[in-house]
């Protein structure tokens, strides 16, 4: 059976609400994540471009060219590519730290919202088994659901930045 899932207004509302929760839970981490995701989206394209420059320098240099100058240019390009690889590892590590910190803050914020909502309810809700089931599901899903949504949003943003970088290149 094939499922046809299209984006509807409810889905857009969920994305907007997730962004709001991200911002409320830690605006500094949200900004840090956005910057790091953007850098992660551009670094692979920069690595490909440096590889292109290395190949072009080696293959397009005339046979009569100064071999030492060509070697120095290729060595500089290889050093730049190595620096980019190191930068990629550093940015990936920083992005994981920022993501984990924000995921924890976001879970805390959701638990806070659940607690506030449960405190505001009338006492009659506490006699309702359906309420307990709903509250339990909300508490269980509060741990992984926002984290999953955040990961998917990060992937969309990172792929969009990479696409824009490729188009620019």
């Amino acid at each position: 059976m094939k499922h046809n899932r299209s984006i509807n207004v409810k889905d857009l509302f969920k994305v907007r609400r997730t962004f709001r929760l991200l911002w409320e839970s830690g605006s500094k981490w949200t900004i840090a994540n956005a910057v790091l995701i953007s850098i992660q989206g551009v670094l692979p394209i920069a690595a490909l471009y440096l590889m292109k420059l290395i190949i072009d320098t080696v293959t397009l240099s005339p046979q009569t060219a100064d071999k030492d100058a060509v070697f120095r240019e290729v060595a500089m390009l290889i050093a730049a590519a190595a620096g980019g690889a190191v930068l990629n590892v550093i940015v990936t590590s920083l992005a994981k730290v920022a993501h984990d910190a924000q995921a924890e803050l976001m879970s805390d914020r959701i638990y806070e919202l659940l607690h506030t909502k449960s405190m505001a309810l009338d006492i009659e809700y506490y006699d309702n088994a359906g309420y307990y089931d709903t509250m339990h599901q909300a508490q269980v899903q509060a741990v992984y659901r926002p984290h999953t949504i955040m990961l998917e949003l990060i992937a969309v943003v990172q792929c969009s930045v990479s696409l824009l970088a490729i188009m620019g290149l």
Side-chain angles (χ1 to χ4, degrees):
M1 175 183 262
K2 187 176 179 183
H3 294 282
N4 186 7
R5 176 145 168 94
S6 61
I7 295 176
N8 59 32
V9 176
K10 276 183 155 181
D11 292 334
L12 293 176
F13 178 74
K14 289 176 188 175
V15 170
R16 194 179 116 233
R17 179 145 187 181
T18 301
F19 275 124
R20 193 175 90 225
L21 281 170
L22 284 171
W23 188 259
E24 287 175 357
S25 65
S27 58
K28 290 178 183 175
W29 287 116
T30 303
I31 293 168
N33 271 318
V35 169
L36 292 168
I37 290 165
S38 298
I39 293 170
Q40 283 181 305
V42 172
L43 283 176
I45 309 309
L48 286 174
Y49 186 71
L50 283 170
M51 188 62 68
K52 176 214 177 291
L53 292 177
I54 292 168
I55 292 169
D56 286 351
T57 302
V58 169
T59 59
L60 298 178
S61 62
Q63 296 297 329
T64 59
D66 182 14
K67 293 191 187 314
D68 289 334
V70 171
F71 178 78
R72 280 191 301 275
E73 186 176 350
V74 169
M76 284 182 14
L77 290 170
I78 290 172
V86 170
L87 181 62
N88 190 28
V89 169
I90 292 169
V91 169
T92 300
S93 297
L94 290 174
K96 180 166 179 17
V97 168
H99 173 269
D100 289 348
Q102 187 161 25
E104 187 173 321
L105 287 172
M106 191 171 176
S107 289
D108 289 346
R109 175 72 177 134
I110 290 171
Y111 279 128
E112 178 185 314
L113 291 171
L114 285 170
H115 179 71
T116 303
K117 191 68 168 175
S118 68
M119 296 299 290
L121 293 174
D122 290 332
I123 194 83
E124 66 190 42
Y125 282 97
Y126 292 98
D127 290 332
N128 184 343
Y131 165 75
Y132 276 116
D133 184 49
T134 302
M135 180 59 91
H136 177 71
Q137 288 298 321
Q139 289 171 339
V140 168
Q141 292 184 15
V143 175
Y144 74 89
R145 192 83 172 249
H147 185 262
T148 302
I149 293 170
M150 196 166 86
L151 285 175
E152 290 173 4
L153 288 174
I154 286 171
V156 167
V157 171
Q158 190 173 355
C159 289
S160 298
V161 169
S162 292
L163 179 64
L164 290 173
I166 288 172
M167 289 170 51
L169 186 62

